[in-house]
Amino acid sequence: MPLLEIRNLCFQIDQKKILDELSLAVKENEIHVLLGTNGSGKSTLAYLVLGCEGYFPSSGEILFAGREIKALKIHERAQQGITLAWQEPAKFEGISVADYLSLGARSGEPSDYLRRVGLRPEEYLNRVLDKTLSEGQRKRIELASVLAMKPRLAILDEPDSGIDLLSVQEIVDVIHGFKDFQASVLLITHREEIAHMANRASQLCGGKIVFTGSPSAVAQHFKTRRCIVCDGKPC
Ligand code: ADP
Ligand code: MG
């Protein structure tokens, strides 16, 4: 049984179809990359799985560990081990990194989580979350906090535009940290080079999964048949 199984999911805003019969499965202990260009529906999918306010599917199923979770509130889904990181900037300005990492932590030492994301605890534990930290450092700290929650499924939604905050190699290193904690990861990105670190990948276009397979096959498909070319219609 997959850890996350999405079947024929539809979602619309003001009559506009955003997700259209989308089906996707993420297996236990799998790193699954979801590739799609801007506006293809990646973040919408993440919000539907998390159960964010205003995001309820018009039809379809969202099964987590075999159980339908559509009716569960965001905190109930979090209790089951579903977490999100990355798209939103950290909202905990002014507290220390050590306190921030203890907030949602199930167990373990903040230092361990910092090391996992490539930050030296002796340098960062007593720093304050403020503008003196670079965007990349803040992203790593946020990812350390997701690790501390010991999620069963971490959904990492990389921002679509602007600077890519972490290099591909940095992302690979951090994701290995998640793997070590037996978390499954749905890594959402627009960079096909990131797909190569996954166990499997899927391409999203026009609100549908148009291709699932090995990372190299999906990256190739994405590169040659980008949604820009097909003008947003599923390719
Ligand atoms: P991605 O994360 O792949 O860039 P999104 O999920 O953010 O894509 O958006 C998918 C589509 O849904 C886009 O066409 C976007 O304009 C539209 N969309 C997203 N949120 C809203 C909203 N709140 N109101 C209207 N349209 C929206
Ligand atoms: Mg997005």
Side-chain angles (χ1 to χ4, degrees):
M1 185 208 321
L3 181 62
L4 174 69
E5 188 169 13
I6 298 166
R7 291 194 199 138
N8 305 320
L9 198 67
C10 293
F11 178 71
Q12 52 192 54
I13 300 176
D14 305 332
Q15 317 290 329
K16 186 185 165 197
K17 269 191 190 169
I18 314 282
L19 298 186
D20 184 13
E21 298 282 335
L22 184 148
S23 296
L24 174 74
V26 179
K27 299 177 192 169
E28 199 93 46
N29 297 322
E30 179 177 69
I31 311 256
H32 195 116
V33 161
L34 181 66
L35 265 178
T37 50
N38 283 3
S40 55
K42 305 184 298 298
S43 295
T44 303
L45 176 62
Y47 299 149
L48 281 160
V49 174
L50 283 151
C52 294
E53 191 66 36
Y55 287 84
F56 193 84
S58 42
S59 60
E61 296 166 73
I62 309 173
L63 304 172
F64 187 69
R67 188 174 156 213
E68 176 57 78
I69 57 166
K70 267 194 313 189
L72 299 186
K73 300 244 177 332
I74 189 164
H75 68 272
E76 293 168 324
R77 299 187 202 196
Q79 278 162 4
Q80 296 212 8
I82 306 177
T83 62
L84 173 75
W86 218 316
Q87 184 96 71
E88 296 288 324
K91 297 183 192 78
F92 296 97
E93 233 29 47
I95 70 169
S96 76
V97 171
D99 285 348
Y100 174 63
L101 290 179
S102 305
L103 281 177
R106 298 233 160 140
S107 59
E109 279 299 310
S111 318
D112 293 338
Y113 301 118
L114 282 177
R115 274 192 214 100
R116 294 276 175 181
V117 298
L119 297 178
R120 287 155 44 95
E122 51 280 23
E123 251 177 70
Y124 286 92
L125 270 179
N126 296 321
R127 300 265 313 253
V128 169
L129 279 176
D130 61 17
K131 298 278 179 291
T132 62
L133 290 164
S134 72
E135 289 289 313
Q137 288 165 334
R138 290 166 72 100
K139 279 298 140 200
R140 282 170 188 262
I141 292 166
E142 188 191 347
L143 288 167
S145 83
V146 175
L147 265 180
M149 292 177 215
K150 300 259 168 68
R152 288 184 75 187
L153 174 68
I155 302 176
L156 306 179
D157 189 5
E158 199 187 19
D160 280 330
S161 52
I163 345 143
D164 295 317
L165 293 173
L166 298 179
S167 70
V168 172
Q169 189 53 51
E170 286 169 329
I171 289 173
V172 169
D173 291 346
V174 169
I175 299 300
H176 280 137
F178 280 82
K179 222 175 166 163
D180 292 345
F181 279 77
Q182 275 90 46
S184 301
V185 177
L186 181 62
L187 176 56
I188 298 176
T189 181
H190 57 102
R191 295 193 275 173
E192 73 258 12
E193 60 274 30
I194 287 181
H196 294 291
M197 59 95 45
N199 302 116
R200 286 196 309 150
S202 295
Q203 181 182 343
L204 180 60
C205 178
K208 276 179 185 291
I209 299 294
V210 293
F211 199 90
T212 291
S214 72
S216 56
V218 175
Q220 184 62 23
H221 191 270
F222 181 71
K223 225 170 15 193
T224 50
R225 305 199 58 185
R226 295 185 84 104
C227 311
I228 297 162
V229 178
C230 66
D231 198 22
K233 296 179 192 74
C235 32

